Amino acid sequence: MSRVYLLALTASLTMSPVSLAAEQANVIITNANIYGYNNADTIAIDNGKIVYVGDVSEVNAYLSSTTNMIDVEQAFVMPGFIDNHNHVFEAASEAGGNCELSMDASLEEQIPYLKTCRKQAKSNEWLMGYGFSLDAILSDDNRYTPLEVIDRIFPDQPVVIMEQTSHSMWVNSAALKLAGITKNATEPQGGKILKDEETGELNGILLDNAGDIVMEMAWNSLVNQFDQSYEGLMAGLEEAAAHGITTIGDGRLYWKRGWYEVWKKAEKEGDLTARVSLRPWIYPADSVEPQLAFLKKIQSSDKSRLLLVDQVKMYSDGIFINGTAKTLAPYLDTYIPDEPYGINYIPSLQMKKWLEALYQIGYSAHIHAIGDGGIRESLNAIEYIRNQGALKPYTLTHVELVNSEDVPRFAKLDVTADFQVGSDYVAYHDHQWAEVFLGAKRTRAMMNLKAIIDTGANVTLSSDWNVHDINPLVGIANSLKMGKTGMPDIHSAIDAYTINAAESLGISDVSGSIDVGKSADFAILEHDITRLPNDEIANTKILMTVLQGNIVFDAKE
């Protein structure tokens, strides 16, 4: 049983009803099964904060003629989910393109999809799309390169298509020309430009930051970019609210695409249905000073707002299937043989300088680190800034392969490990795809949550939507299905999606648990998931989502 849950349970068993000095409440939720409280069925809320948790018999002091009484008919009321890593801005947006390819198709099998996209495309504009498998379109069986195939269908119009993880892009010659990328071009920091092994010519695949740069050009060419982005954000927030999510750790804020201004309008218009920690993107190939100037201008740690801006998003490395995740031992097979240990977006020494400069202007960091090399380098950088006196929360996200020597460092350095387990292959340890790159031993060591939990480190679960399922209940269930490498019990899994995530965001005094004085952020579920078999947790219906005492989702509507 987790420490946080044990304390809450002990309080509910030994203390009288919890409340602030008697005051009227504008909302009272009653007839509830409240997580962490055995002897309470009622929550009173005033001005968005919890003022009372206890028995309905003692709630009369909070009643007034204007109090909204909500009878939830013994539904399970738990803290609102905190998704520590969610690309809510872009995941549901059509701004990133409506050209959808097949995740499983070979290069030649993608041709019908590309032709369909051509029919739908507007001439003289960038075409953006998504959905392909890197290993399928780079198969040794291919008669043509990806560039040759896409150029036949799109000879003039610039095209960029994102692989589902966002770590590679398939582009045509028109896009390469606009980006100034030739076979002799210098590769940008954190990116790789792939070439045909036999001819040395470009093959149309750009890895990591090389592809990011082209995608940014395409995005910034959009007609009505702001309106399209706003519509996408609203769709993403609506999806999050429907899944009980009341707080989001932004996956990355591409501020050069105008995304910050979109968020600001949503806040101003009162359209936010979740608290959001925006994480401005650190552009690895750009100068430091202009980025710091912008970050200083938008920084905000005001917890009374729904928008927080006091963490950045930076990448240490890439991903395994590209060969771009940074490793301590070389890859057995890789698309980039000139980089046998993978690559860095932000190299170790540079990361230390970045963290120090960010610390001076009030920022910590949420760091993408997948390979054991990238994780070690990131921990080294955080150790450096901890030695400078930095106390803010730092998080490594993904954390797929950790060297045994680095496992205890998460707790020692007070670094959160954030995992995404919202796909079946993670739940059932189906990592065989990695063996060709890493070998059997390293593959077996992947995604071991419990090894880090056992050290006492803070561990969170998140979706990385739309890479994985947005539903927190899927992540919670999968973390239990993982067995000896997953969460030890349901309460630990809930903590990872609530109070632990709040600690990672630096808002555990505001949200993450049902306590008097905290924000009234709740997910109200049809069933008590602490009493369900693992296989039934993910199917539990969200009845209502409450943010600061306001209903932002109601399944009845």
Side-chain angles (χ1 to χ4, degrees), residues 108-127:
E108 291 195 10
E109 290 170 344
Q110 295 286 14
I111 291 175
Y113 293 94
L114 291 168
K115 288 182 175 179
T116 299
C117 292
R118 183 185 63 188
K119 293 177 182 178
Q120 299 171 346
K122 296 179 181 179
S123 59
N124 302 318
E125 292 182 10
W126 276 87
L127 176 72

Side-chain angles (χ1 to χ4, degrees), residues 11 14 36 65 138 168 201 255 294 323 325 343 349 408 421 430 436 460 464 480 487 494 519 538 551:
T14 62
S65 60
L138 289 180
S168 61
E201 299 294 327
W255 46 274
F294 174 80
I343 65 173
L349 181 60
V421 298
D430 185 14
V436 66
T460 65
D464 197 15
L480 299 173
M487 287 291 177
I494 290 174
S519 181
I551 299 171

Side-chain angles (χ1 to χ4, degrees), residues 292-369:
L292 288 174
F294 174 80
L295 295 172
K296 185 175 182 180
K297 183 171 64 175
I298 68 169
Q299 195 274 347
S300 173
S301 300
D302 183 357
K303 297 177 186 178
S304 68
R305 295 175 52 191
L306 286 178
L307 285 187
L308 291 170
V309 193
D310 59 2
Q311 296 186 358
V312 301
K313 176 65 178 296
M314 61 171 60
Y315 279 19
S316 171
D317 61 358
I319 60 176
F320 286 127
I321 59 173
N322 286 3
T324 54
K326 192 69 179 293
T327 56
L328 295 174
Y331 282 84
L332 302 183
D333 190 21
T334 176
Y335 295 115
I336 50 173
D338 60 322
E339 303 276 8
Y341 294 88
I343 65 173
N344 288 119
Y345 272 67
I346 309 289
S348 181
L349 181 60
Q350 191 177 14
M351 186 179 288
K352 291 178 182 178
K353 294 179 179 179
W354 261 115
L355 293 186
E356 186 170 28
L358 290 165
Y359 168 59
Q360 297 299 327
I361 59 172
Y363 282 89
S364 62
H366 186 84
I367 303 172
H368 168 118

Side-chain angles (χ1 to χ4, degrees), residues 337-442:
D338 60 322
E339 303 276 8
Y341 294 88
I343 65 173
N344 288 119
Y345 272 67
I346 309 289
S348 181
L349 181 60
Q350 191 177 14
M351 186 179 288
K352 291 178 182 178
K353 294 179 179 179
W354 261 115
L355 293 186
E356 186 170 28
L358 290 165
Y359 168 59
Q360 297 299 327
I361 59 172
Y363 282 89
S364 62
H366 186 84
I367 303 172
H368 168 118
I370 283 182
D372 50 3
I375 289 168
R376 175 169 293 180
E377 291 172 353
S378 299
L379 290 171
N380 289 345
I382 294 172
E383 182 173 29
Y384 171 79
I385 197 63
R386 288 289 191 223
N387 289 336
Q388 310 304 308
L391 298 177
K392 284 180 171 289
Y394 289 84
T395 299
L396 301 191
T397 186
H398 305 307
V399 194
E400 293 186 10
L401 180 63
V402 187
N403 185 276
S404 59
E405 294 180 8
D406 293 315
V407 168
R409 299 180 70 197
F410 284 86
K412 180 181 178 182
L413 296 172
D414 191 19
V415 175
T416 295
D418 176 49
F419 293 92
Q420 293 85 42
V421 298
S423 294
D424 287 345
Y425 74 89
V426 180
Y428 296 107
H429 307 284
D430 185 14
H431 300 298
Q432 291 183 351
W433 58 268
E435 288 193 16
V436 66
F437 305 111
L438 303 174
K441 183 177 180 180
R442 284 187 289 180

Side-chain angles (χ1 to χ4, degrees), residues 14-31:
T14 62
M15 297 177 63
S16 59
V18 185
S19 66
L20 293 176
E23 56 186 289
Q24 291 183 340
N26 46 32
V27 178
I28 292 177
I29 296 173
T30 191
N31 194 15

Side-chain angles (χ1 to χ4, degrees), residues 44 78 80 94 112 118 149 202 216 266 288 303 306 316 331 350 447 455 470 517 546 553:
M78 61 177 294
E94 293 186 3
R118 183 185 63 188
V149 169
L202 299 177
E216 186 137 294
V288 173
K303 297 177 186 178
L306 286 178
S316 171
Y331 282 84
Q350 191 177 14
M447 298 297 290
T455 68
I470 191 175
V546 178
F553 170 77

